Each structure stands twice: as C-alpha cells, then as structure tokens.
Amino acid sequence: MIIHVTHHRPVAGPVQYDRLRGTAKGDADKRGLTVDSCLGGARQALNPAGRFCDPEEFGQACAFLCGAKAGFITGQDILLDGGAFPGTL
C-alpha cells in the first residue's frame, strides 16, 4: 500500500479577523483614530484586490487543499494575498 502525503502552506495576506484588528488598534490609538477608520478604504486600497481577505475565503482555500480535488497539488505555498506580493515563490 502506498500512502501519499502532501504538504501545503497557505500564506495569507491581510485577513479580516481579530489579529488584524488588534494590530490596527495600536496604530489607531497613536493617530487618534478609530480602528475601523485605520482599516478602511485607504488601507484596503493598498492591496491590488482593493480589500482584505475574508476568513471564509481562506478557510475554503485550506479545505480545497485538503480535499481529493487537490490530489495532484503537492508541496506548494499558496499565496492568498489579493495580489499584494509582486512575484512568484
């Protein structure tokens, strides 16, 4: 019996979850702004996708990599960054 093991590493850019809000809080406090204003349009516009990753999107990508349909993908770093990284790995 041959057992095939794959290893993938989903690499996330800014994802809308607690860690992003936590790091933005420090910036907001220094600048006298709200967290939402720090994470708003100007910061999201820095990403080519014009937004942050939704946690569900990241979860769906991870679920796909664990499924049978990804059986021919092996040992890859999958960038989930909305196009922010200007190259390939």
Side-chain angles (χ1 to χ4, degrees), residues 51-83:
R51 62 182 181 84
F52 298 132
C53 179
D54 183 273
E56 187 174 330
E57 288 176 300
F58 185 77
Q60 288 173 346
C62 292
F64 171 76
L65 291 171
C66 292
K69 299 284 185 183
F72 205 66
I73 300 172
T74 59
Q76 298 298 308
D77 291 335
I78 309 295
L79 289 175
L80 300 160
D81 68 352

Side-chain angles (χ1 to χ4, degrees), residues 14 20 24 27 31 33-52:
L20 181 65
D27 186 39
R31 297 170 57 197
L33 301 170
T34 66
V35 171
D36 289 332
S37 65
C38 282
L39 293 177
R43 174 112 185 254
Q44 290 183 28
L46 294 173
N47 189 298
R51 62 182 181 84
F52 298 132

